[in-house]
Amino acid sequence: MSERKQIIVAEDVHKWYGKFHVLQGVSLTVNRGEVVVLMGPSGSGKSTFIRTFNALEEYQQGKIEIDGITLSHDLRNIETIRKEVGMVFQQFNLFPHLTVLQNISLAPIWVRRSPKAKAEELAMQLLERVGILEQAQKYPGQLSGGQQQRVAIARALAMQPKIMLFDEPTSALDPEMVREVLDVMRGLARDGMTMVVVTHEVGFAREVADRVILMDSGSLVESATPDAFFSHPKEERTRKFLSQIL
Ligand code: ADP
Ligand code: MG
């Protein structure tokens, strides 16, 4: 069976928080292996939108398909989706009372029913990939922010997801730690991971993204290649946004 090319298909997605129309008909298709960077002012709905891709948020109208599976209220679908879509948050959300190794091997053991030894072997491989193999036995509180975020990335990868979502993964980091996290993300992109990244890191977007999208007030305003987006934006709102961040 050939793999389908379009791995995320969101069509005319609407969501309300009470009376507040937070997603106002958002459509986005992401191809396998593509890296999409989503930018936009605070409160424009970026987090809400990408959180619908792994069913952390419900939506009321429209359609979302992840690798051919329709995201509905069916709980079986939600379990499958959570295995296939990894997520990394601004606040690393590690379990403070578990070691780094335990943080990474927990879900494979409990959700994927992987034998402990196998899960730990995979965890060690992932720690090597994110460059902190020597921290395996430490607790999150003993690590720097950049190291904790790399553990969070390894933890998401341990579920062997097909898609990785990043929600402002470097916004909570001290400047000197931003690069080590972006480098890990660059490596993932190079290895062909499908990624949707909310970030205002222009250098990363220019270098790594296939497409950059501006979201504002619950709608997608402009979608373009990095060069077109940053150097020749078509929309007035994009120009205004860029003048604020560049
Ligand atoms: P962004 O990630 O672009 O900053 P969010 O998706 O977090 O935006 O939020 C979009 C809007 O929805 C904001 O105005 C925010 O206050 C509102 N919002 C987010 N979560 C909730 C919630 N659980 N209940 C009500 N309003 C929310
Ligand atoms: Mg957000």
Side-chain angles (χ1 to χ4, degrees):
M1 205 177 83
S2 70
E3 289 196 317
R4 79 187 68 232
K5 186 174 166 217
Q6 305 187 327
I7 191 164
I8 301 174
V9 180
E11 277 174 15
D12 196 27
V13 174
H14 290 261
K15 178 181 175 73
W16 287 262
Y17 286 121
K19 283 187 180 162
F20 178 58
H21 199 178
V22 59
L23 299 178
Q24 305 187 6
V26 188
S27 299
L28 173 69
T29 300
V30 180
N31 292 328
R32 199 177 292 276
E34 219 183 348
V35 177
V36 172
V37 164
L38 192 58
M39 294 188 163
S42 174
S44 56
K46 305 178 299 294
S47 297
T48 304
F49 185 46
I50 69 166
R51 287 162 64 93
T52 61
F53 300 163
N54 67 347
L56 279 177
E57 299 282 354
E58 291 184 351
Y59 57 99
Q60 280 90 39
Q61 216 175 288
K63 184 173 164 188
I64 299 178
E65 261 184 32
I66 302 295
D67 207 13
I69 302 169
T70 300
L71 267 186
S72 58
H73 302 303
D74 190 326
L75 289 176
R76 276 172 315 171
N77 277 0
I78 289 179
E79 252 183 50
T80 312
I81 293 298
R82 295 260 166 92
K83 286 181 204 163
E84 312 229 328
V85 185
M87 183 145 189
V88 174
F89 305 87
Q90 181 175 339
Q91 306 295 345
F92 330 117
N93 295 356
L94 297 172
F95 303 112
H97 58 293
L98 299 181
T99 65
V100 164
L101 189 68
Q102 289 166 336
N103 261 280
I104 299 171
S105 54
L106 189 72
I109 292 169
W110 289 100
V111 182
R112 287 231 185 246
R113 310 248 172 251
S114 177
K116 187 167 177 236
K118 205 170 153 232
E120 292 190 347
E121 191 187 314
L122 173 63
M124 296 301 277
Q125 284 169 10
L126 289 169
L127 280 174
E128 190 163 17
R129 186 168 175 188
V130 301
I132 42 172
L133 189 54
E134 69 288 353
Q135 312 293 343
Q137 301 305 335
K138 292 201 180 151
Y139 288 87
Q142 297 173 291
L143 305 183
S144 72
Q147 290 171 329
Q148 289 188 56
Q149 193 58 302
R150 287 187 281 160
V151 173
I153 294 173
R155 183 177 63 173
L157 291 174
M159 291 295 280
Q160 300 176 293
K162 293 179 180 161
I163 298 166
M164 285 283 283
L165 308 175
F166 293 86
D167 195 355
E168 304 208 31
T170 59
S171 299
L173 298 176
D174 291 332
E176 71 271 22
M177 291 167 191
V178 169
R179 180 195 287 207
E180 65 194 48
V181 171
L182 293 180
D183 280 345
V184 169
M185 293 167 62
R186 267 189 204 101
L188 271 182
R190 211 177 302 122
D191 292 345
M193 178 64 81
T194 307
M195 295 164 53
V196 180
V197 184
V198 177
T199 184
H200 292 156
E201 292 289 338
V202 174
F204 175 84
R206 272 192 177 277
E207 188 190 332
V208 181
D210 296 296
R211 255 189 302 159
V212 185
I213 298 175
L214 181 75
M215 184 162 193
D216 192 13
S217 305
S219 303
L220 302 190
V221 173
E222 179 159 4
S223 169
T225 62
D227 189 53
F229 186 91
F230 292 111
S231 304
H232 321 282
K234 286 203 176 73
E235 302 292 331
E236 183 53 37
R237 268 196 286 180
T238 311
R239 283 194 282 271
K240 190 171 160 227
F241 174 75
L242 290 175
S243 75
Q244 285 158 354
I245 66 161
L246 290 175

